[in-house]
């Protein structure tokens, strides 16, 4: 089990800020820096041999990830760096927040009525 965990740690060692902010790219004479929301998770488990019936220990695991392109940092009209959002991706990223807010408001309204 320790070997599998060590391989997972090695695989995810490079995930972090360097994945959220990409390398600068030249497009149409402008230098832009892509920005993304990077998330991942993994887990695993096992069941020990209980000694009744001669069954061997069983285990398993899995993982996954998601990268959502949020926009780019680039030069603005006055020469300062500005963030230019990817509107569709930002709205898609806000859907879970809007759902959570809706459930919270519904719970408060129900509590007030009771």
């Amino acid at each position: 089990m320790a070997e599998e965990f060590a391989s997972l740690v090695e695989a995810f060692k490079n995930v972090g800020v360097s994945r959220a902010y990409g390398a600068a790219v030249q497009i149409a004479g402008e230098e832009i820096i892509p920005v993304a929301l990077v998330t991942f998770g993994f887990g695993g488990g096992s069941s020990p041999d209980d000694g009744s019936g001669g069954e061997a220990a069983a285990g398993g695991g899995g993982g996954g990830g998601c990268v959502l392109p949020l926009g780019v940092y680039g030069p603005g009209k006055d020469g300062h760096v500005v963030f230019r959002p990817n509107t569709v991706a930002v709205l898609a990223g806000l859907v879970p927040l809007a759902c959570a807010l809706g459930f919270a408001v519904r719970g408060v309204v129900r509590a007030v009525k009771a």
Side-chain angles (χ1 to χ4, degrees), residues 16-113:
V17 173
S18 62
R19 295 289 183 235
Y21 296 95
V25 179
Q26 290 283 339
I27 296 180
E30 290 185 350
E31 183 176 49
I32 61 170
I33 300 172
V35 180
L37 172 66
V38 180
T39 182
F40 65 93
F42 57 91
S46 65
S47 63
D49 181 9
D50 62 1
S52 62
E55 297 178 10
C66 176
V67 178
L68 186 66
L70 296 179
V72 297
Y73 279 108
K77 295 178 182 175
D78 57 358
H80 291 91
V81 176
V82 295
F83 180 71
R84 298 181 194 158
N86 176 350
T87 308
V88 173
V90 171
L91 290 175
L94 291 176
V95 167
L97 179 63
C99 289
L101 182 63
F103 284 123
V105 169
R106 184 180 73 174
V108 169
V109 168
R110 284 185 178 177
V112 169
K113 283 184 176 182

